[in-house]
Amino acid sequence: MVRRPAERRRRPERAAQYESPVYRDLQRRLAAAVRRLRQQREWTQEEAAHRCGMTVRVYQRVEGEEVNLTLTTIARIAEGFEVDPAELFRVVKGR
């Protein structure tokens, strides 16, 4: 039998928040920025995760738009990439 990681349970009354256009847009922007910054630096996901002080799996979930991040995690990402946190949500034109 193959075990799959359990999907995180969310409160039913909050389910709509995770599908709202604003939430999805922020999640997309963050994932794209993290991916872009990592690629610009020619880092592997393992290197980026280490510099951001997180496990590789958590880092992969950030790039994969699979996680609802706390402010402390956003701060760790900004510090790891040595960028202003606002840079993680900036819209990149032409993409």
Side-chain angles (χ1 to χ4, degrees):
M1 180 167 87
V2 175
R3 282 187 70 126
R4 292 184 180 171
E7 187 172 317
R8 185 173 175 117
R9 290 185 213 135
R10 295 181 170 154
R11 294 181 183 173
E13 65 271 17
R14 293 185 182 169
Q17 291 175 336
Y18 296 105
E19 297 304 321
S20 78
V22 172
Y23 176 83
R24 295 295 300 146
D25 182 55
L26 288 171
Q27 201 172 35
R28 268 191 230 79
R29 286 184 194 194
L30 180 67
V34 168
R35 195 174 309 108
R36 177 178 39 80
L37 290 166
R38 177 179 61 81
Q39 290 171 344
Q40 285 173 347
R41 287 160 175 76
E42 298 181 348
W43 292 349
T44 62
Q45 288 182 333
E46 292 81 6
E47 177 71 15
H50 173 74
R51 289 176 181 257
C52 295
M54 60 183 60
T55 67
V56 174
R57 182 62 191 131
V58 170
Y59 182 85
Q60 290 170 334
R61 292 180 69 208
V62 172
E63 280 197 9
E65 301 176 28
E66 300 172 20
V67 65
N68 183 25
L69 299 175
T70 63
L71 289 175
T72 55
T73 303
I74 292 168
R76 288 183 1 216
I77 293 169
E79 289 171 355
F81 283 104
E82 298 179 341
V83 297
D84 185 282
E87 175 69 17
L88 299 175
F89 297 98
R90 183 174 61 87
V91 176
V92 177
K93 305 243 187 238
R95 290 194 180 216

